[in-house]
């Protein structure tokens, strides 16, 4: 509450601000209020371990005993969420971009607006439609594995390779939907007076330095050196 909010400053300066996001941590205890600084916002449900759908019975074949307590709830909900996210257009990323593109279509002739089009992907779990998985064919007969633990790699080389392909397919999905934004900016001739910023919050270790993820190990360049295009 004591931060200087760039979003609030934009609003005070007469810029209309809008947020479209599937970042589920905004509606967790302690993670809220940021989105309320926008003039308007749309929240898309179903990412990661978002407690989205209510099912009392635990998913079949799910063993949570080996997971740390904080992860059990998230993994359980993720498994439930996936049963409601099957078709490509049902994926939270697809729905987020759809609503972001609709905002641009609806408001492109106006001046003084800022859209934050924010997707949780390519954050883990690396869940993507089959069309993107088919871009990276490989032989794999192991357990379902698209959500890496945080810490040292203890998995087999086959599992590490599979995880990297799962990540690559999700990255290709992100490229696909970002391409829709670029195409719309072409179509509406927005490049003359509209700034596009593409950035991420952090990188991710996929076996480099024999580590998964971030924050457990030192901040290697793979984690600290993030993409930024303006």
């Amino acid at each position: 509450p004591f931060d200087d909010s760039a979003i609030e400053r934009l609003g005070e300066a007469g810029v209309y601000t809008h947020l479209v996001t599937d970042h589920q941590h905004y509606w967790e205890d302690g993670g809220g209020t940021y989105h309320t600084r926008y003039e308007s916002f749309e929240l898309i449900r179903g990412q990661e371990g978002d407690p989205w759908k209510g099912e009392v019975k635990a998913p079949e074949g799910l063993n949570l005993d080996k997971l740390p307590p904080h992860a059990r709830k998230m993994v359980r909900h993720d498994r439930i969420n996936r049963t409601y996210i099957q078709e490509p257009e049902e994926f939270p990323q697809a729905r987020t971009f759809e609503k972001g593109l609709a905002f641009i279509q609806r408001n492109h002739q106006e001046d003084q607006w800022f859209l934050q089009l924010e997707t949780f992907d390519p954050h883990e779990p690396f869940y993507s439609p089959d069309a993107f998985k088919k871009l990276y064919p490989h032989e794999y007969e192991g357990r379902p594995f698209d959500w890496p633990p945080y810490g040292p790699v203890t998995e087999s080389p086959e599992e590490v390779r599979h995880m990297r392909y799962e990540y690559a397919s999700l990255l290709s999905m992100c490229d696909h939907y970002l391409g829709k934004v670029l195409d719309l900016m072409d179509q509406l001739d927005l490049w003359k007076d509209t700034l596009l910023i593409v950035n991420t919050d952090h990188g991710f270790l996929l076996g480099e330095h024999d580590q998964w993820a971030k924050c457990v190990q030192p901040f290697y360049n793979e984690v600290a050196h993030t993409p930024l295009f303006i």
Side-chain angles (χ1 to χ4, degrees):
F2 305 109
D3 287 347
D4 256 347
S5 166
I7 300 305
E8 283 186 329
R9 290 293 179 89
L10 282 173
E12 291 166 359
V15 176
Y16 188 98
T17 57
H18 184 67
L19 170 68
V20 182
T21 183
D22 61 353
H23 194 148
Q24 61 105 353
H25 295 296
Y26 286 150
W27 48 87
E28 289 179 341
D29 186 18
T33 75
Y34 170 73
H35 55 283
T36 62
R37 297 171 189 254
Y38 290 79
E39 186 72 21
S40 51
F41 54 87
E42 296 185 81
L43 304 178
I44 310 301
R45 303 295 304 267
Q47 272 288 13
E48 198 193 31
D50 177 17
W52 179 34
K53 300 294 186 181
E55 294 193 5
V56 177
K57 184 180 178 181
E60 292 185 7
L62 184 61
N63 184 1
L64 302 175
D65 295 340
K66 294 183 179 180
L67 293 176
H70 72 275
R72 292 172 189 168
K73 182 178 178 181
M74 292 182 65
V75 171
R76 183 185 189 277
H77 279 295
D78 174 69
R79 183 67 65 85
I80 293 170
N81 291 346
R82 293 192 193 198
T83 65
Y84 295 88
I85 302 170
Q86 300 289 319
E87 300 301 321
E89 64 273 10
E90 296 172 343
F91 279 70
Q93 182 189 158
R95 295 170 56 214
T96 301
F97 271 96
E98 177 189 12
K99 292 184 179 297
L101 293 168
F103 176 89
I104 297 173
Q105 285 274 20
R106 192 162 52 243
N107 296 287
H108 72 275
Q109 292 183 323
E110 306 299 325
D111 288 323
Q112 296 291 88
W113 54 265
F114 172 83
L115 168 66
Q116 181 165 324
L117 178 48
E118 176 186 5
T119 64
F120 200 60
D121 292 332
H123 193 287
E124 75 280 3
F126 307 141
Y127 181 44
S128 62
D130 288 341
F132 297 104
K133 294 182 186 297
K134 290 177 181 177
L135 298 174
Y136 304 95
H138 62 285
E139 293 185 7
Y140 178 71
E141 297 180 356
R143 61 190 172 97
F145 189 45
D146 61 11
W147 196 338
Y150 279 41
V153 173
T154 59
E155 289 75 15
S156 69
E158 180 189 21
E159 288 177 312
V160 172
R161 186 170 58 251
H162 173 69
M163 182 72 76
R164 289 177 173 177
Y165 281 129
E166 294 290 86
Y167 184 66
S169 66
L170 187 55
L171 282 181
S172 292
M173 182 183 183
C174 294
D175 287 345
H176 170 77
Y177 283 103
L178 176 58
K180 289 182 176 291
V181 175
L182 304 183
D183 289 345
L184 185 59
M185 291 186 70
D186 284 343
Q187 176 188 329
L188 301 176
D189 197 24
L190 288 178
W191 298 106
K192 290 178 180 177
D193 65 355
T194 308
L195 186 68
L196 174 69
I197 303 172
V198 181
N199 68 301
T200 74
D201 57 344
H202 60 80
F204 201 83
L205 294 170
L206 291 163
E208 298 90 349
H209 312 287
D210 294 320
Q211 295 281 332
W212 292 119
K214 58 168 180 149
C215 294
V216 178
Q217 59 291 113
F219 275 84
Y220 290 110
N221 213 35
E222 290 89 344
V223 173
H225 188 181
T226 58
L228 174 63
F229 305 95
I230 301 177

